[in-house]
Every structure is written in C-alpha cells, then in structure tokens.
C-alpha cells in the first residue's frame, strides 16, 4: 500500500513539475543568440532583444598595433509584455563609466559576448554588425 501511494505521489509531482515549466524561446546559458544591427530577435514570443545601434567600435583592428585594446558600445532594447528596457552595453565592460557587458532584467541575465565582424585594416568592412549574447533565466 505504501509503495503504491509513493508511486502515485511521485507520478503526480512529476506531472505538476512538467506543467509548471514555462517555455523560453531564448537559447539559454551557454547557447549564443545573435542579432544584426537595426533588427530584433524573433518577436513571436516575449521577451526579445533588439540591436538598436552601434554607438562606437574602438577595438584594435587586425593588422594594427594599438596602445589600447578598445571596446564596442551598442544600444540594446529588451522587450517584455508591455515594457521596453533600453540600455547601452560594452563588449569589454566599463562599469565605472556606466557601461557593462552584462545586465539582469526581471530574472533574465543578458551578456554581450561578441560583435562581428572584427575590424581589420587590410579588408573593408561591408558586413552589417552582428551582436552576440548569452541569455539565461
């Protein structure tokens, strides 16, 4: 009797846990999300991120000798149900100046991990910039 009751309890808890899980359209944790400049991630489900603008890309170009490695500053908007959060992120993170490479909004941790293409002095850059993020909840 106890074994049967325990089995049913375990079964009910498993179903309750499965039903309580919420779908997250972001790739999470170590997966990488990316978006090109002036575009947004898939908008079919909330929340989503838009890459609004490239403010500055001062990264040391390939083929150059630089005194400073530089960074990239981008403007991002994070869209939730009825709310938009706009902010600036830095690729290398400069928290003393108010620019970080990561932020947390309502339990979503957003990390700006890369900006491509990387600048080069030997090749013209005709590609639209693409920002890369890891997002976890």
């Amino acid at each position: 009797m106890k074994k049967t009751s325990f089995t049913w309890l375990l079964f009910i808890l498993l179903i309750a846990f499965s039903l309580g899980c919420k779908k997250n359209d972001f790739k999470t944790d170590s997966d990488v999300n990316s978006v090109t400049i002036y575009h947004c991630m898939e908008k079919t489900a909330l929340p989503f991120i838009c890459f609004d603008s490239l403010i500055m890309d001062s990264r040391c170009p390939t083929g150059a000798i630089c005194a400073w490695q530089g960074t990239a500053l981008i403007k991002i908007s994070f869209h939730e149900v009825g709310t938009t959060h706009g902010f600036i992120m830095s690729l290398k993170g400069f928290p003393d100046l108010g620019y970080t490479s990561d932020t947390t909004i309502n339990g979503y941790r957003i990390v700006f991990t890369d900006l491509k293409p990387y600048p080069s002095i030997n090749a013209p850059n005709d590609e639209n910039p693409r920002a890369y993020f890891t997002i976890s909840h």
Side-chain angles (χ1 to χ4, degrees), residues 38-53:
Y38 311 124
H39 290 92
C40 299
M41 291 179 176
E42 187 65 39
K43 294 181 183 179
T44 57
L46 293 173
F48 62 89
I49 288 180
C50 297
F51 179 3
D52 299 327
S53 64

Side-chain angles (χ1 to χ4, degrees), residues 61-133:
T62 302
I65 298 173
C66 303
W68 184 56
Q69 67 181 355
T71 190
L73 291 177
I74 61 173
K75 184 176 180 196
I76 300 295
S77 55
F78 180 76
H79 301 261
E80 294 182 287
V81 178
T83 307
T84 299
H85 308 272
F87 49 96
I88 295 172
M89 297 185 90
S90 171
L91 189 54
K92 299 293 182 187
F94 288 93
D96 293 341
L97 300 176
Y99 306 120
T100 63
S101 60
D102 67 323
T103 190
T104 301
I105 299 173
N106 293 333
Y108 289 94
R109 184 163 188 266
I110 304 163
V111 182
F112 177 30
T113 59
D114 202 359
L115 181 68
K116 292 183 181 178
Y118 195 87
S120 173
I121 61 171
N122 297 323
N125 183 6
D126 298 333
E127 262 184 83
N128 284 331
R130 177 175 288 274
Y132 293 81
F133 305 90

